[in-house]
Amino acid sequence: MKKIILTVLTFVALVSCQSDQAYEDLNRDPKNPTQVQADFLFNSATKSLYDQMTSTNVNLNVFRMLGQHWTETTYTDEANFDLNGRNITQNHWSELYRDVLLDLKTARENTNDDASLTQAEKDTRNAQIEILMVYTWAHLVETYGDIPYSQALSPNEFVLPVYDDAATVYTDLLARLTAAIPNITDSGFGSADPIYGGDSAKWKKFGNSLLLRMGIRIADAPGFSSLAQAAVTTAVSGGVFTSNADNASLVYSSTTPNTNPVWVDLVQSGRSDFVAANTLVDVMNALEDPRRPYYFDQNLGAGVYVGGPYGDNNSYSSYTHVGDRMLDPTNPASLIDYSEVSFYLADAAERSLSGTPALAAGFYNDGIKASFDDWGAPGVEAYLLKPSVNYLTAPGTWKQKIGKQFWLAMYNRGYEAWTAWRTYDVPTLNLPAESGLPVPTRYTYPVNEQNLNEANWSAASAAIGGDEQTTKLFWDVN
């Protein structure tokens, strides 16, 4: 089945596979069980989520282009914001619904049916599943807007699921996450857990850090101030990341099929499709940012970095390339990291959601230090003293200061770089050289939805203000 649950043929197949339970029981081979173990499904869903968020295959993930950290060479459609020519929005939607959410749902069902587990083990496993499900659902809302939610994972009941209001979904996700975190009391999936190996303390920090992120995400949305306050307060009191050792990272292997997908996309496939974008390189050059030799290579000579004009047809040999770490098959990928969390804490301090504005500079510095530490870059103390970087002297409002350094720190995390720009509106991104189109603020709905779930798609499109790439979502109000 190649399409997600919203594709009619997929629903029919799912339903027909479950049509006669009694007959199935009589014909089941006990040596070849049809029910997949929960830990296998959890592991598979986790890897699918990390791979999808990390890949740079232009059929799957173009967030590094939307955040303008990278740009393309020969094939420039995606850098010019053609997101449907290769069905990118469809593929992203399908991967998250089918290979992440549906597998996690089944893992939860199989966990609850497993009589060999204690109640504490079940509760912890379900909480770990819930954290990843909330992460994925929140990402879908932040990417598309209104989405199928309440009816989305019930193929026997809802062949064409309705779209739920994005703000309502987000509110429910915050409640789900808040309820799940205290249930982590055991190792859960233990050694089958590819993120923390069953470390319950780190899973709690992951959950609370996600809760902090979601609280900050809605802080500007009208009518959400009290909900944002509650989420941030609960997250900080519960304990968020305090170092890079807490990062929600997946460590890849040096052997296929468990290598970092960027290595697959660029090295194994022998592709030269990307160079560093001038948008990013120009900002880092102006700051004389010490992370440049770690983000990029020096193919243009020692200390010389020239980004390719964003959205142009760029010669690979003429512009700065991505650095060696990006080409390492074992390079870890993160869903959320300490640098990101530190910038959220700086934001929360400025809003007096947690602490006071006087604390913001310290968290801002922590975010930059965490990024330097993660990349192994020296010179962070001198960098923080630069008038253009120092929190007290850097130009702009507090949002502009935080947003700029946040965007810089999210290199190799294209979605969060794009979302930092959507949140703080800095830096000024370039219009692509060929199309001149404005930078998207959301993904449009998949074409399959227009064709197969037309009535619900039409209602959702009208509800969010139009199914356009530049429609602002409920949380993106600045």
Side-chain angles (χ1 to χ4, degrees):
M1 293 178 281
K2 296 192 176 182
K3 301 301 178 187
I4 65 163
I5 53 174
L6 302 182
T7 303
V8 174
L9 291 178
T10 302
F11 275 106
V12 172
L14 284 171
V15 172
S16 64
C17 288
Q18 302 170 11
S19 58
D20 191 338
Q21 187 64 47
Y23 182 84
E24 293 278 350
D25 290 341
L26 290 172
N27 290 277
R28 183 175 292 117
D29 181 355
K31 295 182 179 181
N32 294 286
T34 57
Q35 179 167 300
V36 181
Q37 290 185 345
D39 54 357
F40 177 86
L41 288 166
F42 178 79
N43 198 300
S44 176
T46 300
K47 185 175 184 298
S48 292
L49 177 58
Y50 275 88
D51 284 355
Q52 180 61 25
M53 296 303 296
T54 304
S55 173
T56 192
N57 183 318
V58 292
N59 297 290
L60 300 174
N61 181 336
V62 295
F63 295 128
R64 290 181 180 86
M65 261 79 74
L66 297 187
Q68 297 197 8
H69 282 180
W70 292 8
T71 191
E72 292 171 298
T73 54
T74 305
Y75 307 104
T76 60
D77 292 347
E78 291 70 40
N80 282 273
F81 308 140
D82 177 359
L83 304 183
N84 291 305
R86 299 182 198 267
N87 282 331
I88 296 164
T89 64
Q90 174 71 60
N91 295 334
H92 190 64
W93 175 285
S94 298
E95 184 68 17
L96 295 181
Y97 271 106
R98 180 192 62 213
D99 294 336
V100 179
L101 289 170
L102 201 55
D103 275 1
L104 288 172
K105 176 178 181 284
T106 308
R108 182 173 60 200
E109 293 167 351
N110 292 354
T111 290
N112 293 332
D113 290 341
D114 191 340
S116 70
L117 298 174
T118 66
Q119 192 58 50
E121 289 172 324
K122 289 183 178 182
D123 290 345
T124 300
R125 286 188 174 200
N126 283 330
Q128 292 169 336
I129 290 168
E130 188 78 332
I131 288 170
L132 291 183
M133 291 190 82
V134 168
Y135 176 99
T136 307
W137 283 121
H139 171 84
L140 286 164
V141 170
E142 294 161 7
T143 305
Y144 296 93
D146 291 8
I147 56 167
Y149 177 66
S150 59
Q151 299 180 358
L153 302 181
S154 301
N156 288 324
E157 298 178 67
F158 306 106
V159 176
L160 299 175
V162 299
Y163 285 59
D164 294 273
D165 172 70
T168 303
V169 173
Y170 219 80
T171 301
D172 187 58
L173 293 174
L174 286 167
R176 287 173 58 174
L177 182 58
T178 302
I181 296 168
N183 292 330
I184 301 174
T185 60
D186 190 84
S187 63
F189 285 99
S191 60
D193 163 19
I195 305 175
Y196 293 122
D199 189 320
S200 60
K202 288 189 175 181
W203 268 101
K204 285 185 176 180
K205 287 185 177 182
F206 179 16
N208 283 315
S209 297
L210 177 58
L211 187 63
L212 172 65
R213 173 201 278 179
M214 293 174 66
I216 295 298
R217 200 80 93 210
I218 59 173
D220 286 325
F224 279 83
S225 58
S226 60
L227 194 60
Q229 175 72 77
V232 171
T233 300
T234 301
V236 173
S237 64
V240 296
F241 292 168
T242 56
S243 76
N244 282 325
D246 295 328
N247 293 350
S249 297
L250 180 70
V251 178
Y252 284 96
S253 167
S254 60
T255 57
T256 56
N258 296 313
T259 50
N260 187 300
V262 175
W263 177 84
V264 174
D265 298 335
L266 299 185
V267 179
Q268 186 181 53
S269 62
R271 308 289 298 188
S272 301
D273 292 338
F274 307 99
V275 293
N278 63 338
T279 318
L280 175 62
V281 175
D282 289 353
V283 171
M284 298 188 80
N285 282 343
L287 296 173
E288 297 181 317
D289 196 305
R291 287 170 290 189
R292 287 175 296 172
Y294 299 86
Y295 283 13
F296 316 126
D297 73 358
Q298 298 183 14
N299 65 304
L300 302 178
V304 177
Y305 304 93
V306 179
Y310 185 78
D312 209 348
N313 191 304
N314 296 299
S315 166
Y316 184 74
S317 62
S318 299
Y319 297 103
T320 291
H321 303 161
V322 302
D324 290 342
R325 172 169 164 177
M326 302 294 293
L327 307 178
D328 182 350
T330 67
N331 189 30
S334 291
L335 295 182
I336 187 168
D337 62 30
Y338 176 49
S339 178
E340 181 184 351
V341 166
S342 297
F343 289 118
Y344 293 139
L345 291 172
D347 184 310
E350 285 286 6
R351 299 177 191 270
S352 297
L353 295 175
S354 178
T356 65
L359 299 174
F363 291 126
Y364 168 90
N365 290 345
D366 289 344
I368 296 172
K369 289 177 181 178
S371 173
F372 272 67
D373 177 63
D374 185 48
W375 287 89
V380 67
E381 297 299 339
Y383 182 73
L384 289 171
L385 292 176
K386 289 177 176 285
S388 55
V389 175
N390 186 277
Y391 197 71
L392 297 178
T393 58
T397 65
W398 68 262
K399 285 187 176 183
Q400 291 170 327
K401 295 174 186 182
I402 292 171
K404 183 177 182 179
Q405 287 296 331
F406 192 170
W407 176 79
L408 286 171
M410 292 298 101
Y411 188 66
N412 192 37
R413 297 192 56 216
Y415 184 80
E416 292 307 327
W418 176 48
T419 302
W421 171 79
R422 290 190 291 166
T423 301
Y424 298 103
D425 300 300
V426 290
T428 300
L429 298 186
N430 292 315
L431 298 181
E434 295 178 2
S435 70
L437 292 174
V439 181
T441 53
R442 65 179 288 270
Y443 267 12
T444 52
Y445 293 124
V447 173
N448 275 9
E449 285 296 285
Q450 301 175 37
N451 293 334
L452 300 174
N453 196 15
E454 183 177 2
N456 291 322
W457 162 78
S458 180
S461 300
I464 65 171
D467 187 13
E468 306 294 339
Q469 292 182 171
T470 52
T471 299
K472 288 290 194 80
L473 302 179
F474 83 97
W475 58 270
D476 182 12
V477 296
N478 292 325

